[in-house]
PDB file of all heavy atoms in Angstrom:
ATOM      1  N   ASN A   3     150.010 131.974 -95.592  1.00 59.00           N
ATOM      2  CA  ASN A   3     151.254 132.413 -94.915  1.00 59.00           C
ATOM      3  C   ASN A   3     152.077 133.345 -95.870  1.00 59.00           C
ATOM      4  O   ASN A   3     152.387 132.992 -96.982  1.00 59.00           O
ATOM      5  CB  ASN A   3     152.112 131.146 -94.633  1.00 59.00           C
ATOM      6  CG  ASN A   3     153.299 131.489 -93.806  1.00 59.00           C
ATOM      7  OD1 ASN A   3     153.791 132.611 -93.756  1.00 59.00           O
ATOM      8  ND2 ASN A   3     153.813 130.483 -93.120  1.00 59.00           N
ATOM      9  N   PRO A   4     152.369 134.536 -95.387  1.00 66.00           N
ATOM     10  CA  PRO A   4     153.138 135.503 -96.213  1.00 66.00           C
ATOM     11  C   PRO A   4     154.590 135.059 -96.429  1.00 66.00           C
ATOM     12  O   PRO A   4     155.290 135.655 -97.234  1.00 66.00           O
ATOM     13  CB  PRO A   4     153.069 136.796 -95.428  1.00 66.00           C
ATOM     14  CG  PRO A   4     152.824 136.367 -94.022  1.00 66.00           C
ATOM     15  CD  PRO A   4     152.031 135.126 -94.084  1.00 66.00           C
ATOM     16  N   LEU A   5     155.064 134.070 -95.711  1.00 77.00           N
ATOM     17  CA  LEU A   5     156.436 133.596 -95.852  1.00 77.00           C
ATOM     18  C   LEU A   5     156.508 132.419 -96.782  1.00 77.00           C
ATOM     19  O   LEU A   5     157.403 131.580 -96.705  1.00 77.00           O
ATOM     20  CB  LEU A   5     157.052 133.225 -94.495  1.00 77.00           C
ATOM     21  CG  LEU A   5     157.144 134.354 -93.499  1.00 77.00           C
ATOM     22  CD1 LEU A   5     157.702 133.854 -92.169  1.00 77.00           C
ATOM     23  CD2 LEU A   5     158.041 135.490 -94.061  1.00 77.00           C
ATOM     24  N   GLN A   6     155.531 132.338 -97.730  1.00 89.00           N
ATOM     25  CA  GLN A   6     155.467 131.180 -98.639  1.00 89.00           C
ATOM     26  C   GLN A   6     155.375 131.680-100.069  1.00 89.00           C
ATOM     27  O   GLN A   6     154.614 132.581-100.392  1.00 89.00           O
ATOM     28  CB  GLN A   6     154.282 130.336 -98.269  1.00 89.00           C
ATOM     29  CG  GLN A   6     154.073 129.113 -99.138  1.00 89.00           C
ATOM     30  CD  GLN A   6     152.954 128.218 -98.644  1.00 89.00           C
ATOM     31  OE1 GLN A   6     152.894 127.925 -97.469  1.00 89.00           O
ATOM     32  NE2 GLN A   6     152.098 127.813 -99.496  1.00 89.00           N
ATOM     33  N   SER A   7     156.129 131.105-100.963  1.00 92.00           N
ATOM     34  CA  SER A   7     156.044 131.339-102.389  1.00 92.00           C
ATOM     35  C   SER A   7     155.592 130.072-103.114  1.00 92.00           C
ATOM     36  O   SER A   7     155.828 128.952-102.587  1.00 92.00           O
ATOM     37  CB  SER A   7     157.358 131.773-102.958  1.00 92.00           C
ATOM     38  OG  SER A   7     157.843 132.942-102.334  1.00 92.00           O
ATOM     39  N   ARG A   8     154.960 130.220-104.279  1.00 92.00           N
ATOM     40  CA  ARG A   8     154.474 129.063-105.013  1.00 92.00           C
ATOM     41  C   ARG A   8     154.995 129.125-106.439  1.00 92.00           C
ATOM     42  O   ARG A   8     154.895 130.163-107.102  1.00 92.00           O
ATOM     43  CB  ARG A   8     152.928 129.162-105.021  1.00 92.00           C
ATOM     44  CG  ARG A   8     152.260 128.034-105.724  1.00 92.00           C
ATOM     45  CD  ARG A   8     150.709 128.269-105.592  1.00 92.00           C
ATOM     46  NE  ARG A   8     149.977 127.169-106.207  1.00 92.00           N
ATOM     47  CZ  ARG A   8     149.479 127.205-107.441  1.00 92.00           C
ATOM     48  NH1 ARG A   8     149.632 128.280-108.150  1.00 92.00           N
ATOM     49  NH2 ARG A   8     148.829 126.204-107.908  1.00 92.00           N
ATOM     50  N   LEU A   9     155.564 128.010-106.892  1.00 92.00           N
ATOM     51  CA  LEU A   9     156.018 127.880-108.271  1.00 92.00           C
ATOM     52  C   LEU A   9     155.281 126.771-108.923  1.00 92.00           C
ATOM     53  O   LEU A   9     155.157 125.660-108.357  1.00 92.00           O
ATOM     54  CB  LEU A   9     157.519 127.536-108.321  1.00 92.00           C
ATOM     55  CG  LEU A   9     158.519 128.574-107.858  1.00 92.00           C
ATOM     56  CD1 LEU A   9     159.926 127.991-107.896  1.00 92.00           C
ATOM     57  CD2 LEU A   9     158.433 129.802-108.746  1.00 92.00           C
ATOM     58  N   GLU A  10     154.760 126.996-110.109  1.00 92.00           N
ATOM     59  CA  GLU A  10     154.053 126.004-110.863  1.00 92.00           C
ATOM     60  C   GLU A  10     154.839 125.691-112.148  1.00 92.00           C
ATOM     61  O   GLU A  10     155.252 126.606-112.816  1.00 92.00           O
ATOM     62  CB  GLU A  10     152.638 126.425-111.206  1.00 92.00           C
ATOM     63  CG  GLU A  10     151.817 125.362-111.841  1.00 92.00           C
ATOM     64  CD  GLU A  10     150.324 125.759-111.958  1.00 92.00           C
ATOM     65  OE1 GLU A  10     149.921 126.748-111.336  1.00 92.00           O
ATOM     66  OE2 GLU A  10     149.597 125.029-112.618  1.00 92.00           O
ATOM     67  N   PHE A  11     155.034 124.416-112.420  1.00 91.00           N
ATOM     68  CA  PHE A  11     155.778 123.984-113.597  1.00 91.00           C
ATOM     69  C   PHE A  11     154.827 123.317-114.588  1.00 91.00           C
ATOM     70  O   PHE A  11     153.940 122.529-114.176  1.00 91.00           O
ATOM     71  CB  PHE A  11     156.863 122.952-113.175  1.00 91.00           C
ATOM     72  CG  PHE A  11     157.939 123.595-112.347  1.00 91.00           C
ATOM     73  CD1 PHE A  11     157.761 123.826-110.974  1.00 91.00           C
ATOM     74  CD2 PHE A  11     159.118 124.016-112.955  1.00 91.00           C
ATOM     75  CE1 PHE A  11     158.757 124.390-110.234  1.00 91.00           C
ATOM     76  CE2 PHE A  11     160.124 124.595-112.173  1.00 91.00           C
ATOM     77  CZ  PHE A  11     159.956 124.820-110.819  1.00 91.00           C
ATOM     78  N   ASP A  12     154.999 123.626-115.882  1.00 91.00           N
ATOM     79  CA  ASP A  12     154.128 123.104-116.921  1.00 91.00           C
ATOM     80  C   ASP A  12     154.317 121.604-117.138  1.00 91.00           C
ATOM     81  O   ASP A  12     153.392 120.895-117.427  1.00 91.00           O
ATOM     82  CB  ASP A  12     154.348 123.855-118.215  1.00 91.00           C
ATOM     83  CG  ASP A  12     153.845 125.289-118.123  1.00 91.00           C
ATOM     84  OD1 ASP A  12     152.954 125.590-117.335  1.00 91.00           O
ATOM     85  OD2 ASP A  12     154.387 126.135-118.843  1.00 91.00           O
ATOM     86  N   ASP A  13     155.571 121.153-117.063  1.00 88.00           N
ATOM     87  CA  ASP A  13     155.901 119.770-117.365  1.00 88.00           C
ATOM     88  C   ASP A  13     156.334 119.036-116.110  1.00 88.00           C
ATOM     89  O   ASP A  13     157.456 119.232-115.625  1.00 88.00           O
ATOM     90  CB  ASP A  13     156.998 119.718-118.423  1.00 88.00           C
ATOM     91  CG  ASP A  13     157.199 118.323-118.993  1.00 88.00           C
ATOM     92  OD1 ASP A  13     156.866 117.343-118.323  1.00 88.00           O
ATOM     93  OD2 ASP A  13     157.761 118.218-120.093  1.00 88.00           O
ATOM     94  N   ASN A  14     155.454 118.199-115.582  1.00 85.00           N
ATOM     95  CA  ASN A  14     155.748 117.486-114.365  1.00 85.00           C
ATOM     96  C   ASN A  14     156.923 116.539-114.477  1.00 85.00           C
ATOM     97  O   ASN A  14     157.699 116.321-113.588  1.00 85.00           O
ATOM     98  CB  ASN A  14     154.508 116.740-113.857  1.00 85.00           C
ATOM     99  CG  ASN A  14     154.625 116.276-112.415  1.00 85.00           C
ATOM    100  OD1 ASN A  14     155.193 116.982-111.601  1.00 85.00           O
ATOM    101  ND2 ASN A  14     154.124 115.096-112.125  1.00 85.00           N
ATOM    102  N   ARG A  15     157.137 116.003-115.700  1.00 87.00           N
ATOM    103  CA  ARG A  15     158.260 115.096-115.893  1.00 87.00           C
ATOM    104  C   ARG A  15     159.612 115.787-115.773  1.00 87.00           C
ATOM    105  O   ARG A  15     160.552 115.247-115.207  1.00 87.00           O
ATOM    106  CB  ARG A  15     158.198 114.419-117.292  1.00 87.00           C
ATOM    107  CG  ARG A  15     157.041 113.401-117.412  1.00 87.00           C
ATOM    108  CD  ARG A  15     156.909 112.895-118.778  1.00 87.00           C
ATOM    109  NE  ARG A  15     156.504 114.032-119.611  1.00 87.00           N
ATOM    110  CZ  ARG A  15     156.300 114.012-120.904  1.00 87.00           C
ATOM    111  NH1 ARG A  15     156.440 112.874-121.554  1.00 87.00           N
ATOM    112  NH2 ARG A  15     155.925 115.070-121.604  1.00 87.00           N
ATOM    113  N   LEU A  16     159.671 117.034-116.222  1.00 88.00           N
ATOM    114  CA  LEU A  16     160.903 117.814-116.051  1.00 88.00           C
ATOM    115  C   LEU A  16     161.106 118.184-114.579  1.00 88.00           C
ATOM    116  O   LEU A  16     162.220 118.245-114.076  1.00 88.00           O
ATOM    117  CB  LEU A  16     160.877 119.051-116.933  1.00 88.00           C
ATOM    118  CG  LEU A  16     160.940 118.811-118.441  1.00 88.00           C
ATOM    119  CD1 LEU A  16     160.824 120.132-119.165  1.00 88.00           C
ATOM    120  CD2 LEU A  16     162.154 118.077-118.823  1.00 88.00           C
ATOM    121  N   LEU A  17     159.981 118.424-113.862  1.00 91.00           N
ATOM    122  CA  LEU A  17     160.097 118.777-112.472  1.00 91.00           C
ATOM    123  C   LEU A  17     160.656 117.615-111.680  1.00 91.00           C
ATOM    124  O   LEU A  17     161.470 117.768-110.777  1.00 91.00           O
ATOM    125  CB  LEU A  17     158.719 119.202-111.939  1.00 91.00           C
ATOM    126  CG  LEU A  17     158.698 119.524-110.441  1.00 91.00           C
ATOM    127  CD1 LEU A  17     159.660 120.658-110.088  1.00 91.00           C
ATOM    128  CD2 LEU A  17     157.285 119.840-109.998  1.00 91.00           C
ATOM    129  N   VAL A  18     160.269 116.388-112.042  1.00 90.00           N
ATOM    130  CA  VAL A  18     160.792 115.166-111.367  1.00 90.00           C
ATOM    131  C   VAL A  18     162.284 115.143-111.510  1.00 90.00           C
ATOM    132  O   VAL A  18     163.036 114.862-110.585  1.00 90.00           O
ATOM    133  CB  VAL A  18     160.086 113.902-111.897  1.00 90.00           C
ATOM    134  CG1 VAL A  18     160.804 112.654-111.445  1.00 90.00           C
ATOM    135  CG2 VAL A  18     158.626 113.911-111.479  1.00 90.00           C
ATOM    136  N   ASP A  19     162.773 115.401-112.751  1.00 91.00           N
ATOM    137  CA  ASP A  19     164.253 115.426-112.996  1.00 91.00           C
ATOM    138  C   ASP A  19     164.904 116.513-112.181  1.00 91.00           C
ATOM    139  O   ASP A  19     165.981 116.345-111.631  1.00 91.00           O
ATOM    140  CB  ASP A  19     164.552 115.595-114.480  1.00 91.00           C
ATOM    141  CG  ASP A  19     164.164 114.341-115.290  1.00 91.00           C
ATOM    142  OD1 ASP A  19     164.026 113.265-114.707  1.00 91.00           O
ATOM    143  OD2 ASP A  19     163.995 114.485-116.556  1.00 91.00           O
ATOM    144  N   LEU A  20     164.271 117.676-112.139  1.00 92.00           N
ATOM    145  CA  LEU A  20     164.857 118.824-111.398  1.00 92.00           C
ATOM    146  C   LEU A  20     164.985 118.503-109.889  1.00 92.00           C
ATOM    147  O   LEU A  20     165.960 118.815-109.281  1.00 92.00           O
ATOM    148  CB  LEU A  20     163.949 120.051-111.592  1.00 92.00           C
ATOM    149  CG  LEU A  20     164.316 121.303-110.788  1.00 92.00           C
ATOM    150  CD1 LEU A  20     165.613 121.893-111.292  1.00 92.00           C
ATOM    151  CD2 LEU A  20     163.219 122.315-110.842  1.00 92.00           C
ATOM    152  N   CYS A  21     163.950 117.846-109.355  1.00 93.00           N
ATOM    153  CA  CYS A  21     163.962 117.508-107.925  1.00 93.00           C
ATOM    154  C   CYS A  21     165.008 116.460-107.569  1.00 93.00           C
ATOM    155  O   CYS A  21     165.530 116.458-106.483  1.00 93.00           O
ATOM    156  CB  CYS A  21     162.573 117.039-107.511  1.00 93.00           C
ATOM    157  SG  CYS A  21     161.339 118.340-107.600  1.00 93.00           S
ATOM    158  N   GLY A  22     165.316 115.587-108.501  1.00 93.00           N
ATOM    159  CA  GLY A  22     166.274 114.548-108.278  1.00 93.00           C
ATOM    160  C   GLY A  22     165.677 113.302-107.628  1.00 93.00           C
ATOM    161  O   GLY A  22     164.559 113.335-107.144  1.00 93.00           O
ATOM    162  N   GLU A  23     166.468 112.268-107.586  1.00 92.00           N
ATOM    163  CA  GLU A  23     166.071 111.011-106.972  1.00 92.00           C
ATOM    164  C   GLU A  23     165.795 111.239-105.495  1.00 92.00           C
ATOM    165  O   GLU A  23     166.627 111.813-104.786  1.00 92.00           O
ATOM    166  CB  GLU A  23     167.147 109.962-107.186  1.00 92.00           C
ATOM    167  CG  GLU A  23     166.757 108.602-106.698  1.00 92.00           C
ATOM    168  CD  GLU A  23     167.824 107.542-106.987  1.00 92.00           C
ATOM    169  OE1 GLU A  23     169.001 107.901-107.257  1.00 92.00           O
ATOM    170  OE2 GLU A  23     167.473 106.340-106.907  1.00 92.00           O
ATOM    171  N   TYR A  24     164.613 110.776-105.032  1.00 91.00           N
ATOM    172  CA  TYR A  24     164.203 110.981-103.653  1.00 91.00           C
ATOM    173  C   TYR A  24     164.223 112.441-103.229  1.00 91.00           C
ATOM    174  O   TYR A  24     164.450 112.732-102.037  1.00 91.00           O
ATOM    175  CB  TYR A  24     165.036 110.124-102.685  1.00 91.00           C
ATOM    176  CG  TYR A  24     165.023 108.644-103.014  1.00 91.00           C
ATOM    177  CD1 TYR A  24     166.129 108.046-103.552  1.00 91.00           C
ATOM    178  CD2 TYR A  24     163.848 107.902-102.781  1.00 91.00           C
ATOM    179  CE1 TYR A  24     166.090 106.681-103.854  1.00 91.00           C
ATOM    180  CE2 TYR A  24     163.824 106.575-103.112  1.00 91.00           C
ATOM    181  CZ  TYR A  24     164.970 105.941-103.639  1.00 91.00           C
ATOM    182  OH  TYR A  24     164.924 104.597-103.930  1.00 91.00           O
ATOM    183  N   ASP A  25     163.978 113.344-104.158  1.00 92.00           N
ATOM    184  CA  ASP A  25     163.955 114.799-103.918  1.00 92.00           C
ATOM    185  C   ASP A  25     165.301 115.277-103.335  1.00 92.00           C
ATOM    186  O   ASP A  25     165.335 116.300-102.621  1.00 92.00           O
ATOM    187  CB  ASP A  25     162.817 115.197-102.988  1.00 92.00           C
ATOM    188  CG  ASP A  25     161.473 115.094-103.703  1.00 92.00           C
ATOM    189  OD1 ASP A  25     161.382 115.053-104.944  1.00 92.00           O
ATOM    190  OD2 ASP A  25     160.481 115.003-102.964  1.00 92.00           O
ATOM    191  N   ARG A  26     166.365 114.656-103.670  1.00 95.00           N
ATOM    192  CA  ARG A  26     167.690 115.004-103.106  1.00 95.00           C
ATOM    193  C   ARG A  26     168.079 116.445-103.436  1.00 95.00           C
ATOM    194  O   ARG A  26     168.709 117.147-102.628  1.00 95.00           O
ATOM    195  CB  ARG A  26     168.771 114.059-103.576  1.00 95.00           C
ATOM    196  CG  ARG A  26     168.714 112.713-102.911  1.00 95.00           C
ATOM    197  CD  ARG A  26     169.862 111.824-103.360  1.00 95.00           C
ATOM    198  NE  ARG A  26     169.703 110.538-102.687  1.00 95.00           N
ATOM    199  CZ  ARG A  26     170.104 109.399-103.170  1.00 95.00           C
ATOM    200  NH1 ARG A  26     170.734 109.375-104.333  1.00 95.00           N
ATOM    201  NH2 ARG A  26     169.944 108.284-102.497  1.00 95.00           N
ATOM    202  N   ASN A  27     167.748 116.912-104.645  1.00 95.00           N
ATOM    203  CA  ASN A  27     168.117 118.266-105.033  1.00 95.00           C
ATOM    204  C   ASN A  27     167.334 119.288-104.209  1.00 95.00           C
ATOM    205  O   ASN A  27     167.863 120.341-103.871  1.00 95.00           O
ATOM    206  CB  ASN A  27     167.862 118.483-106.550  1.00 95.00           C
ATOM    207  CG  ASN A  27     168.773 117.604-107.369  1.00 95.00           C
ATOM    208  OD1 ASN A  27     169.824 117.123-106.924  1.00 95.00           O
ATOM    209  ND2 ASN A  27     168.362 117.370-108.607  1.00 95.00           N
ATOM    210  N   LEU A  28     166.073 118.978-103.903  1.00 95.00           N
ATOM    211  CA  LEU A  28     165.281 119.885-103.064  1.00 95.00           C
ATOM    212  C   LEU A  28     165.855 119.954-101.628  1.00 95.00           C
ATOM    213  O   LEU A  28     165.902 120.994-101.022  1.00 95.00           O
ATOM    214  CB  LEU A  28     163.842 119.459-102.977  1.00 95.00           C
ATOM    215  CG  LEU A  28     163.060 119.547-104.317  1.00 95.00           C
ATOM    216  CD1 LEU A  28     161.594 119.110-104.093  1.00 95.00           C
ATOM    217  CD2 LEU A  28     163.139 120.897-104.941  1.00 95.00           C
ATOM    218  N   VAL A  29     166.241 118.805-101.133  1.00 95.00           N
ATOM    219  CA  VAL A  29     166.820 118.710 -99.760  1.00 95.00           C
ATOM    220  C   VAL A  29     168.107 119.530 -99.692  1.00 95.00           C
ATOM    221  O   VAL A  29     168.321 120.297 -98.780  1.00 95.00           O
ATOM    222  CB  VAL A  29     167.113 117.256 -99.346  1.00 95.00           C
ATOM    223  CG1 VAL A  29     167.854 117.156 -98.028  1.00 95.00           C
ATOM    224  CG2 VAL A  29     165.774 116.507 -99.236  1.00 95.00           C
TER     225      VAL A  29
END
């Protein structure tokens, strides 16, 4: 899909913190 971007993070633990509890920050 051309309407999709992909980001890859080196440290999954930091990504979990970035996303927030229950992915609230992503929501």
